Amino acid sequence: MATFLYRIGRWAFRRRRLVSGVWLGVLVVAVVAAAVAPEGKEEDLSMPGTESQKAFDLLDERFPQSNSQGAEARLVFRAPDGQRVTARENRAAVEDALGSLDGGDQVASTTDPYETGDVSEDGTIAYSTITYTADAVDLTEPAKSALEDAASQAREAGLTVEIGGSALDAEEEPGGTTEIIGVVVAAVVLVLALGSVVAAGLSLLTAFVGVAIAFGLVSALAVPLGLTSTVAILALMLGLAVGIDYALFITSRFRDERARGSEPEEAAGRAVGTAGSAVVFAGATVFIALVGLGVVGIPELTRIGMGGAGAVALAVLVALTLVPALFGHFAKRVSPARAKPRVWGRALSRAVRKAPSSRRPGSEPRTRRPPRPAGPGSPPAGRGSCCAGRRPCC
């Protein structure tokens, strides 16, 4: 394995233009495919065989007019100071607001707080629950606008109205503030660890390439394979994490080989042959673990595992081929600079050279007396050599 990876590293270094062009082409194809592909529809999360799924299926069977996983909203009405929501005018405002929602688009039911008893003991607050036939992701804009218009209508009548529930929950899009903060922190850590902006940027660049390709492929295959936004988010997070990690392994080893005096091509081959073996082993471990999610038998987990495994496989391929190719483009700028002696180091060396000697002035330096040549009949040097003198042997 190490020999094979060594050859791959040298080949990618020599054919850096070809390798970089191929990956650039794959990136363009993935982005274009994601742009022209139809947007995938979010499906209800189902977990066949689990008790919770059996409960949801039973609710749908007994109450077909409602959706057990449908969105829900709650309108809370508060009367002005010194008044009650049970007063005639305030009650009429509440009923008019709820009446505008009853029978609306995707609305399954609305509760009357005066009939269900959802009024506070002091009569100042009341709330109504609105259930929908679709989940929060599939709610249309007219349905959401009708809910907000009903709240505005009650506010104009003098009531304080607040909206709660999942109906107005916004779908989280990948690539938000959390990912940006993570990339900035990773960039700072890489610059401090490697001491080179180019080396840190190379690790981030290759990670971005792998993530962009994985995200584009997941978006393009969303409709044919039924992939949801959860799969895309997981592929983004995993691809970014392992992509930076694997590229950092090989970049760090390349810099070590260059510091030892290896030529750039040889250093690239050794970096991929040594650190690349660890990358393959780590990537294979994560790949097998993610694919193993399919053993559970839950379709959504199977799709999530396959999407994450694909992102990890792309990160490994990028680290083994694109990273050494970029070494060929930026070999001098990625290589570590020659270490210069620090100021305190030079000062310490001068102090040691100028330090006074410990022997007395005018005395000659001590030298070890050379051994006397052994005469005829003398014992060999070593144990029992005292017999050569006039003292008795021990």
Side-chain angles (χ1 to χ4, degrees), residues 360-376:
R360 297 178 181 178
S363 61
E364 296 294 333
R366 288 187 175 185
T367 58
R368 180 174 295 181
R369 181 180 298 176
R372 288 186 303 174

Side-chain angles (χ1 to χ4, degrees), residues 286-297 305-306:
V286 179
F287 183 89
I288 294 173
L290 290 172
V291 173
L293 291 176
V295 179
V296 181
M306 296 301 294

